[in-house]
Amino acid sequence: DAMVIQNPRYQVTQFGKPVTLSCSQTLNHNVMYWYQQKSSQAPKLLFHYYDKDFNNEADTPDNFQSRRPNTSFCFLDIRSPGLGDAAMYLCATSRVAQETQYFGPGTRLLVL
Amino acid sequence: DAKTTQPPSMDCAEGRAANLPCNHSTISGNEYVYWYRQIHSQGPQYIIHGLKNNETNEMASLIITEDRKSSTLILPHATLRDTAVYYCIVRVVNSGYALNFGKGTSLLVTP
């Protein structure tokens, strides 16, 4: 029944140790998004894929990368996590651009 | 996208209607009004959206004023599970991809 799935729900990593968060969808949507939400703040878009086309937001740090190997899956790679990267990471999808976005439950990342 | 203004917090008694206002006085003709909510430690959940007509679905009703400068989200019979932050987002159909969530309204439904 779940439409946008994120694993794991909680991830602990060490300062500087690469970490990958995953997202999958059963909606067959063309667009997949990654948002970062820090404590008590609104979600902020990092980047999105429209099919295989990757689109980075202008202020997304280089430390954040993404991969989309197929329609269903999208990954967020943080190459060298810092303490400031501790946040909830939200994956969302939409059928086409600018249509309604549907979110997964999020992965909460803790950096030690 | 036009700026929105929402009260930071509201209370509602369980079983009563929750009416959440949103001002978007600079909205333009091709901008939709979207509502999302975020229950604590969960991802945002789409509720409803509209352009100029009132809309209703299984979750809520959206009332948009005739001049489109404000709208109200109505949860007809609030339950404790409706306690969440509610975001009103105004969005041009052909604008960028990001949803600009703003600060939202923290709704507390009390027994």
Side-chain angles (χ1 to χ4, degrees):
Chain A
D1 191 38
M3 297 182 290
V4 183
I5 303 156
Q6 291 188 247
N7 285 307
R9 295 293 313 277
Y10 299 90
Q11 176 74 56
V12 180
T13 191
Q14 292 178 334
F15 182 93
K17 184 175 181 181
V19 65
T20 295
L21 309 181
S22 71
C23 176
S24 63
Q25 54 133 340
T26 59
L27 297 163
N28 203 33
H29 282 175
N30 294 305
V31 193
M32 294 187 77
Y33 310 78
W34 281 103
Y35 286 81
Q36 178 193 61
Q37 185 175 25
K38 295 188 176 180
S39 181
S40 302
Q41 296 183 21
K44 180 178 178 297
L45 183 65
L46 294 173
F47 27 58
H48 74 272
Y49 269 97
Y50 196 137
D51 293 329
K52 295 183 179 180
D53 293 332
F54 176 72
N55 298 273
N56 209 26
E57 293 297 297
D59 55 356
T60 298
D62 293 340
N63 198 26
F64 291 87
Q65 308 271 312
S66 186
R67 295 171 284 134
R68 188 178 185 186
N70 54 52
T71 300
S72 300
F73 285 87
C74 195
F75 300 99
L76 170 62
D77 300 310
I78 309 176
R79 291 192 297 187
S80 182
L83 299 179
D85 296 328
M88 172 82 89
Y89 290 89
L90 297 159
C91 175
T93 75
S94 65
R95 190 178 64 88
V96 292
Q98 291 92 26
E99 283 197 2
T100 301
Q101 295 183 21
Y102 296 93
F103 286 80
T107 294
R108 186 168 296 281
L109 178 69
L110 180 62
V111 182
L112 300 178
Chain B
D1 297 338
K3 181 179 167 58
T4 62
T5 304
Q6 298 178 253
S9 64
M10 293 181 64
D11 292 346
C12 177
E14 187 178 21
R16 305 296 294 267
N19 298 290
L20 293 97
C22 180
N23 285 321
H24 30 79
S25 58
T26 61
I27 194 170
S28 59
N30 61 347
E31 288 184 307
Y32 285 76
V33 180
Y34 278 79
W35 284 85
Y36 281 78
R37 73 180 182 185
Q38 188 171 24
I39 296 169
H40 183 63
S41 293
Q42 296 185 24
Q45 179 187 22
Y46 165 77
I47 302 173
I48 199 166
H49 75 283
L51 183 62
K52 46 186 176 180
N53 297 325
N54 297 337
E55 302 287 344
T56 295
N57 63 21
E58 65 279 3
M59 289 183 69
S61 294
L62 173 60
I63 308 298
I64 303 174
T65 58
E66 194 168 340
D67 64 6
R68 302 187 69 240
K69 292 180 187 282
S70 66
S71 60
T72 301
L73 178 76
I74 301 172
L75 308 178
H77 305 287
T79 71
L80 300 179
R81 287 177 293 181
D82 291 322
T83 292
V85 178
Y86 287 77
Y87 296 99
C88 170
I89 301 167
V90 171
R91 185 171 169 76
V92 178
V93 171
N94 293 319
S95 70
Y97 289 78
L99 285 175
N100 296 315
F101 281 86
K103 296 187 185 300
T105 295
S106 179
L107 175 69
L108 176 65
V109 181
T110 56

CSV table of all heavy atoms in Angstrom, one decimal, chain A residues 6-49:
chain,number,residue,atom,x,y,z
A,6,GLN,N,11.0,4.9,2.1
A,6,GLN,CA,12.3,5.4,2.5
A,6,GLN,C,12.9,4.4,3.5
A,6,GLN,O,12.3,4.1,4.5
A,6,GLN,CB,12.3,6.8,3.0
A,6,GLN,CG,12.0,7.8,2.0
A,6,GLN,CD,12.2,9.3,2.4
A,6,GLN,OE1,11.2,10.0,2.6
A,6,GLN,NE2,13.5,9.6,2.6
A,7,ASN,N,14.2,4.0,3.2
A,7,ASN,CA,14.9,3.2,4.1
A,7,ASN,C,16.3,3.7,4.3
A,7,ASN,O,16.9,4.2,3.3
A,7,ASN,CB,14.9,1.7,3.6
A,7,ASN,CG,13.6,1.0,3.7
A,7,ASN,OD1,13.0,1.0,4.8
A,7,ASN,ND2,13.1,0.5,2.6
A,8,PRO,N,16.8,3.6,5.5
A,8,PRO,CA,16.1,3.2,6.7
A,8,PRO,C,15.3,4.4,7.2
A,8,PRO,O,15.5,5.5,6.7
A,8,PRO,CB,17.2,2.8,7.7
A,8,PRO,CG,18.4,3.7,7.2
A,8,PRO,CD,18.3,3.8,5.7
A,9,ARG,N,14.5,4.3,8.2
A,9,ARG,CA,13.8,5.4,8.9
A,9,ARG,C,14.8,6.2,9.7
A,9,ARG,O,14.6,7.4,9.8
A,9,ARG,CB,12.7,4.9,9.7
A,9,ARG,CG,11.5,4.3,8.9
A,9,ARG,CD,10.8,5.3,8.0
A,9,ARG,NE,10.5,6.5,8.7
A,9,ARG,CZ,9.4,6.7,9.4
A,9,ARG,NH1,8.5,5.7,9.5
A,9,ARG,NH2,9.2,7.9,10.0
A,10,TYR,N,15.8,5.6,10.3
A,10,TYR,CA,16.8,6.2,11.1
A,10,TYR,C,18.2,5.7,10.7
A,10,TYR,O,18.3,4.5,10.5
A,10,TYR,CB,16.6,6.0,12.6
A,10,TYR,CG,15.3,6.4,13.1
A,10,TYR,CD1,14.1,5.6,13.1
A,10,TYR,CD2,15.1,7.7,13.6
A,10,TYR,CE1,12.9,6.1,13.6
A,10,TYR,CE2,13.9,8.2,14.1
A,10,TYR,CZ,12.8,7.3,14.1
A,10,TYR,OH,11.6,7.8,14.5
A,11,GLN,N,19.1,6.7,10.5
A,11,GLN,CA,20.4,6.3,10.1
A,11,GLN,C,21.4,7.1,11.0
A,11,GLN,O,21.3,8.3,11.1
A,11,GLN,CB,20.6,6.7,8.6
A,11,GLN,CG,22.0,6.5,8.1
A,11,GLN,CD,22.3,5.0,7.9
A,11,GLN,OE1,21.6,4.3,7.2
A,11,GLN,NE2,23.4,4.5,8.5
A,12,VAL,N,22.4,6.4,11.5
A,12,VAL,CA,23.4,7.0,12.3
A,12,VAL,C,24.7,6.8,11.5
A,12,VAL,O,25.0,5.7,11.0
A,12,VAL,CB,23.6,6.4,13.7
A,12,VAL,CG1,24.7,7.0,14.5
A,12,VAL,CG2,22.3,6.4,14.4
A,13,THR,N,25.5,7.9,11.4
A,13,THR,CA,26.8,7.8,10.7
A,13,THR,C,27.8,8.6,11.5
A,13,THR,O,27.5,9.3,12.4
A,13,THR,CB,26.7,8.3,9.2
A,13,THR,OG1,27.9,7.9,8.6
A,13,THR,CG2,26.5,9.8,9.2
A,14,GLN,N,29.1,8.4,11.1
A,14,GLN,CA,30.1,9.1,11.8
A,14,GLN,C,30.5,10.3,10.9
A,14,GLN,O,30.4,10.3,9.7
A,14,GLN,CB,31.3,8.2,12.0
A,14,GLN,CG,31.1,7.1,13.0
A,14,GLN,CD,32.3,6.2,13.2
A,14,GLN,OE1,33.1,6.0,12.3
A,14,GLN,NE2,32.4,5.5,14.3
A,15,PHE,N,31.0,11.3,11.6
A,15,PHE,CA,31.5,12.5,10.9
A,15,PHE,C,32.5,12.1,9.8
A,15,PHE,O,33.4,11.3,10.1
A,15,PHE,CB,32.2,13.4,12.0
A,15,PHE,CG,32.8,14.7,11.4
A,15,PHE,CD1,32.0,15.8,11.5
A,15,PHE,CD2,34.0,14.7,10.8
A,15,PHE,CE1,32.5,17.0,11.0
A,15,PHE,CE2,34.5,15.9,10.3
A,15,PHE,CZ,33.8,17.0,10.4
A,16,GLY,N,32.2,12.5,8.6
A,16,GLY,CA,33.1,12.2,7.5
A,16,GLY,C,32.9,10.9,6.8
A,16,GLY,O,33.5,10.6,5.8
A,17,LYS,N,32.1,10.0,7.3
A,17,LYS,CA,31.9,8.7,6.8
A,17,LYS,C,30.7,8.7,5.8
A,17,LYS,O,29.6,9.1,6.1
A,17,LYS,CB,31.6,7.7,7.8
A,17,LYS,CG,31.5,6.3,7.3
A,17,LYS,CD,31.3,5.3,8.5
A,17,LYS,CE,31.2,3.9,7.9
A,17,LYS,NZ,31.1,2.9,9.0
A,18,PRO,N,31.0,8.4,4.5
A,18,PRO,CA,29.9,8.4,3.5
A,18,PRO,C,28.7,7.7,3.9
A,18,PRO,O,28.8,6.6,4.5
A,18,PRO,CB,30.6,7.8,2.2
A,18,PRO,CG,32.1,8.0,2.4
A,18,PRO,CD,32.3,7.9,3.9
A,19,VAL,N,27.6,8.2,3.5
A,19,VAL,CA,26.3,7.5,3.8
A,19,VAL,C,25.4,7.6,2.6
A,19,VAL,O,25.4,8.6,1.9
A,19,VAL,CB,25.7,8.1,5.1
A,19,VAL,CG1,25.3,9.6,4.9
A,19,VAL,CG2,24.5,7.3,5.6
A,20,THR,N,24.5,6.6,2.4
A,20,THR,CA,23.6,6.6,1.3
A,20,THR,C,22.2,6.3,1.9
A,20,THR,O,22.0,5.4,2.7
A,20,THR,CB,23.9,5.5,0.3
A,20,THR,OG1,25.1,5.8,-0.3
A,20,THR,CG2,22.8,5.4,-0.7
A,21,LEU,N,21.2,7.2,1.5
A,21,LEU,CA,19.8,7.0,1.9
A,21,LEU,C,19.1,6.6,0.6
A,21,LEU,O,19.4,7.1,-0.5
A,21,LEU,CB,19.3,8.3,2.4
A,21,LEU,CG,20.1,9.0,3.6
A,21,LEU,CD1,19.4,10.2,4.0
A,21,LEU,CD2,20.3,8.0,4.7
A,22,SER,N,18.1,5.8,0.8
A,22,SER,CA,17.4,5.2,-0.4
A,22,SER,C,15.9,5.6,-0.4
A,22,SER,O,15.3,5.8,0.7
A,22,SER,CB,17.6,3.7,-0.5
A,22,SER,OG,16.8,3.1,0.5
A,23,CYS,N,15.4,5.7,-1.5
A,23,CYS,CA,13.9,6.0,-1.7
A,23,CYS,C,13.4,5.1,-2.9
A,23,CYS,O,14.1,5.0,-3.9
A,23,CYS,CB,13.8,7.4,-2.0
A,23,CYS,SG,12.1,7.9,-2.4
A,24,SER,N,12.3,4.6,-2.7
A,24,SER,CA,11.6,3.9,-3.8
A,24,SER,C,10.2,4.3,-3.9
A,24,SER,O,9.6,4.7,-2.9
A,24,SER,CB,11.8,2.3,-3.7
A,24,SER,OG,11.1,1.9,-2.5
A,25,GLN,N,9.6,4.1,-5.1
A,25,GLN,CA,8.2,4.5,-5.3
A,25,GLN,C,7.5,3.5,-6.1
A,25,GLN,O,8.1,2.8,-7.0
A,25,GLN,CB,8.1,5.9,-6.0
A,25,GLN,CG,8.9,6.0,-7.3
A,25,GLN,CD,8.2,6.6,-8.4
A,25,GLN,OE1,7.0,6.7,-8.4
A,25,GLN,NE2,8.9,7.1,-9.4
A,26,THR,N,6.2,3.3,-5.8
A,26,THR,CA,5.4,2.4,-6.6
A,26,THR,C,4.3,3.1,-7.5
A,26,THR,O,3.4,2.5,-8.0
A,26,THR,CB,4.6,1.4,-5.6
A,26,THR,OG1,3.8,2.3,-4.8
A,26,THR,CG2,5.6,0.6,-4.8
A,27,LEU,N,4.5,4.4,-7.6
A,27,LEU,CA,3.6,5.3,-8.3
A,27,LEU,C,3.9,5.4,-9.8
A,27,LEU,O,3.1,6.0,-10.6
A,27,LEU,CB,3.5,6.7,-7.7
A,27,LEU,CG,3.0,6.7,-6.2
A,27,LEU,CD1,3.4,8.0,-5.6
A,27,LEU,CD2,1.5,6.5,-6.2
A,28,ASN,N,5.1,5.0,-10.2
A,28,ASN,CA,5.6,5.1,-11.6
A,28,ASN,C,5.7,6.6,-12.0
A,28,ASN,O,5.4,6.9,-13.1
A,28,ASN,CB,4.7,4.3,-12.5
A,28,ASN,CG,5.5,4.0,-13.8
A,28,ASN,OD1,6.7,3.8,-13.8
A,28,ASN,ND2,4.8,4.0,-14.9
A,29,HIS,N,6.0,7.5,-11.0
A,29,HIS,CA,6.1,8.9,-11.3
A,29,HIS,C,7.4,9.2,-12.0
A,29,HIS,O,8.4,8.6,-11.7
A,29,HIS,CB,6.0,9.7,-10.0
A,29,HIS,CG,4.5,9.8,-9.5
A,29,HIS,ND1,4.2,10.4,-8.3
A,29,HIS,CD2,3.4,9.5,-10.1
A,29,HIS,CE1,2.9,10.4,-8.2
A,29,HIS,NE2,2.4,9.8,-9.2
A,30,ASN,N,7.3,10.3,-12.8
A,30,ASN,CA,8.5,10.7,-13.6
A,30,ASN,C,9.5,11.5,-12.7
A,30,ASN,O,10.7,11.4,-13.0
A,30,ASN,CB,8.1,11.5,-14.8
A,30,ASN,CG,7.3,10.7,-15.8
A,30,ASN,OD1,7.7,9.7,-16.2
A,30,ASN,ND2,6.1,11.2,-16.1
A,31,VAL,N,9.0,12.2,-11.7
A,31,VAL,CA,9.9,13.1,-11.0
A,31,VAL,C,10.1,12.6,-9.6
A,31,VAL,O,9.1,12.2,-8.9
A,31,VAL,CB,9.3,14.5,-11.0
A,31,VAL,CG1,10.4,15.5,-10.5
A,31,VAL,CG2,8.8,15.0,-12.3
A,32,MET,N,11.4,12.6,-9.1
A,32,MET,CA,11.7,12.3,-7.8
A,32,MET,C,12.5,13.4,-7.2
A,32,MET,O,13.4,13.9,-7.8
A,32,MET,CB,12.4,10.9,-7.7
A,32,MET,CG,11.6,9.7,-8.1
A,32,MET,SD,12.3,8.1,-7.9
A,32,MET,CE,12.1,7.9,-6.1
A,33,TYR,N,12.2,13.7,-5.9
A,33,TYR,CA,12.8,14.9,-5.2
A,33,TYR,C,13.5,14.4,-4.0
A,33,TYR,O,13.0,13.5,-3.3
A,33,TYR,CB,11.8,15.9,-4.9
A,33,TYR,CG,10.8,16.3,-5.9
A,33,TYR,CD1,9.7,15.5,-6.3
A,33,TYR,CD2,10.9,17.6,-6.5
A,33,TYR,CE1,8.8,15.9,-7.3
A,33,TYR,CE2,10.0,18.0,-7.5
A,33,TYR,CZ,9.0,17.2,-7.9
A,33,TYR,OH,8.1,17.6,-8.8
A,34,TRP,N,14.5,15.2,-3.6
A,34,TRP,CA,15.1,15.0,-2.2
A,34,TRP,C,15.0,16.4,-1.5
A,34,TRP,O,15.5,17.4,-2.1
A,34,TRP,CB,16.5,14.5,-2.3
A,34,TRP,CG,16.7,13.1,-2.5
A,34,TRP,CD1,17.0,12.4,-3.6
A,34,TRP,CD2,16.5,12.0,-1.5
A,34,TRP,NE1,17.1,11.1,-3.4
A,34,TRP,CE2,16.7,10.8,-2.1
A,34,TRP,CE3,16.1,12.0,-0.1
A,34,TRP,CZ2,16.7,9.6,-1.4
A,34,TRP,CZ3,16.1,10.8,0.5
A,34,TRP,CH2,16.3,9.6,-0.1
A,35,TYR,N,14.4,16.4,-0.3
A,35,TYR,CA,14.4,17.6,0.5
A,35,TYR,C,15.2,17.3,1.8
A,35,TYR,O,15.2,16.2,2.3
A,35,TYR,CB,12.9,17.9,0.9
A,35,TYR,CG,12.1,18.5,-0.1
A,35,TYR,CD1,11.4,17.7,-1.1
A,35,TYR,CD2,11.8,19.9,-0.2
A,35,TYR,CE1,10.6,18.2,-2.1
A,35,TYR,CE2,10.9,20.4,-1.1
A,35,TYR,CZ,10.4,19.6,-2.1
A,35,TYR,OH,9.5,20.2,-3.0
A,36,GLN,N,15.7,18.4,2.4
A,36,GLN,CA,16.3,18.3,3.7
A,36,GLN,C,15.5,19.1,4.6
A,36,GLN,O,15.1,20.3,4.3
A,36,GLN,CB,17.8,18.9,3.6
A,36,GLN,CG,18.5,18.9,4.9
A,36,GLN,CD,19.8,19.8,4.8
A,36,GLN,OE1,19.7,20.9,4.6
A,36,GLN,NE2,20.9,19.1,5.0
A,37,GLN,N,15.2,18.6,5.8
A,37,GLN,CA,14.5,19.3,6.8
A,37,GLN,C,15.3,19.3,8.1
A,37,GLN,O,15.3,18.2,8.8
A,37,GLN,CB,13.1,18.8,7.0
A,37,GLN,CG,12.2,19.6,7.9
A,37,GLN,CD,10.8,19.1,8.0
A,37,GLN,OE1,10.5,17.9,7.8
A,37,GLN,NE2,9.9,20.0,8.4
A,38,LYS,N,15.8,20.4,8.5
A,38,LYS,CA,16.5,20.5,9.8
A,38,LYS,C,15.4,20.8,10.9
A,38,LYS,O,14.3,21.2,10.6
A,38,LYS,CB,17.6,21.6,9.8
A,38,LYS,CG,18.7,21.2,8.8
A,38,LYS,CD,19.9,22.1,8.9
A,38,LYS,CE,21.0,21.6,7.9
A,38,LYS,NZ,22.2,22.5,8.0
A,39,SER,N,15.9,20.6,12.1
A,39,SER,CA,15.0,20.7,13.3
A,39,SER,C,14.2,22.0,13.3
A,39,SER,O,14.9,23.1,13.2
A,39,SER,CB,15.8,20.5,14.6
A,39,SER,OG,14.9,20.5,15.7
A,40,SER,N,12.9,22.0,13.4
A,40,SER,CA,12.1,23.2,13.5
A,40,SER,C,12.1,24.1,12.3
A,40,SER,O,11.7,25.2,12.4
A,40,SER,CB,12.5,24.0,14.8
A,40,SER,OG,12.4,23.3,15.9
A,41,GLN,N,12.5,23.5,11.2
A,41,GLN,CA,12.5,24.3,9.9
A,41,GLN,C,11.6,23.6,8.9
A,41,GLN,O,11.3,22.4,9.0
A,41,GLN,CB,14.0,24.4,9.4
A,41,GLN,CG,14.9,25.2,10.3
A,41,GLN,CD,16.3,25.4,9.6
A,41,GLN,OE1,16.4,25.2,8.4
A,41,GLN,NE2,17.3,25.7,10.5
A,42,ALA,N,11.3,24.3,7.9
A,42,ALA,CA,10.5,23.8,6.8
A,42,ALA,C,11.4,23.0,5.9
A,42,ALA,O,12.6,23.2,5.8
A,42,ALA,CB,9.8,24.9,6.0
A,43,PRO,N,10.9,22.0,5.1
A,43,PRO,CA,11.7,21.2,4.2
A,43,PRO,C,12.3,22.1,3.1
A,43,PRO,O,11.6,23.1,2.7
A,43,PRO,CB,10.7,20.2,3.6
A,43,PRO,CG,9.6,20.1,4.6
A,43,PRO,CD,9.5,21.5,5.2
A,44,LYS,N,13.5,21.8,2.6
A,44,LYS,CA,14.2,22.6,1.6
A,44,LYS,C,14.6,21.6,0.5
A,44,LYS,O,15.3,20.7,0.8
A,44,LYS,CB,15.4,23.3,2.3
A,44,LYS,CG,16.2,24.2,1.3
A,44,LYS,CD,17.3,24.9,2.1
A,44,LYS,CE,18.2,25.7,1.2
A,44,LYS,NZ,18.9,24.9,0.2
A,45,LEU,N,14.3,22.0,-0.7
A,45,LEU,CA,14.6,21.1,-1.8
A,45,LEU,C,16.1,21.1,-2.1
A,45,LEU,O,16.8,22.2,-2.2
A,45,LEU,CB,13.9,21.6,-3.1
A,45,LEU,CG,14.1,20.7,-4.3
A,45,LEU,CD1,13.5,19.3,-4.1
A,45,LEU,CD2,13.5,21.3,-5.6
A,46,LEU,N,16.7,19.9,-2.2
A,46,LEU,CA,18.1,19.8,-2.5
A,46,LEU,C,18.3,19.6,-4.1
A,46,LEU,O,19.1,20.3,-4.7
A,46,LEU,CB,18.7,18.5,-1.8
A,46,LEU,CG,18.8,18.6,-0.3
A,46,LEU,CD1,19.3,17.2,0.2
A,46,LEU,CD2,19.8,19.7,0.1
A,47,PHE,N,17.6,18.7,-4.6
A,47,PHE,CA,17.6,18.4,-6.1
A,47,PHE,C,16.5,17.5,-6.5
A,47,PHE,O,15.7,17.0,-5.6
A,47,PHE,CB,18.9,17.7,-6.5
A,47,PHE,CG,19.6,16.9,-5.5
A,47,PHE,CD1,19.0,15.8,-4.9
A,47,PHE,CD2,21.0,17.2,-5.1
A,47,PHE,CE1,19.7,15.0,-4.0
A,47,PHE,CE2,21.6,16.4,-4.2
A,47,PHE,CZ,21.0,15.3,-3.6
A,48,HIS,N,16.3,17.3,-7.8
A,48,HIS,CA,15.3,16.4,-8.3
A,48,HIS,C,15.7,15.8,-9.6
A,48,HIS,O,16.7,16.3,-10.2
A,48,HIS,CB,13.9,17.2,-8.5
A,48,HIS,CG,13.9,18.1,-9.7
A,48,HIS,ND1,14.3,19.4,-9.6
A,48,HIS,CD2,13.5,17.8,-10.9
A,48,HIS,CE1,14.2,19.9,-10.8
A,48,HIS,NE2,13.7,19.0,-11.6
A,49,TYR,N,15.1,14.7,-9.9
A,49,TYR,CA,15.3,14.0,-11.2
A,49,TYR,C,14.0,14.1,-11.9
A,49,TYR,O,12.9,13.7,-11.4
A,49,TYR,CB,15.6,12.5,-10.9
A,49,TYR,CG,17.1,12.2,-10.9
A,49,TYR,CD1,17.7,12.1,-9.6
A,49,TYR,CD2,17.9,12.0,-12.0
A,49,TYR,CE1,19.1,11.8,-9.5
A,49,TYR,CE2,19.2,11.7,-11.9
A,49,TYR,CZ,19.8,11.6,-10.7
A,49,TYR,OH,21.1,11.3,-10.6
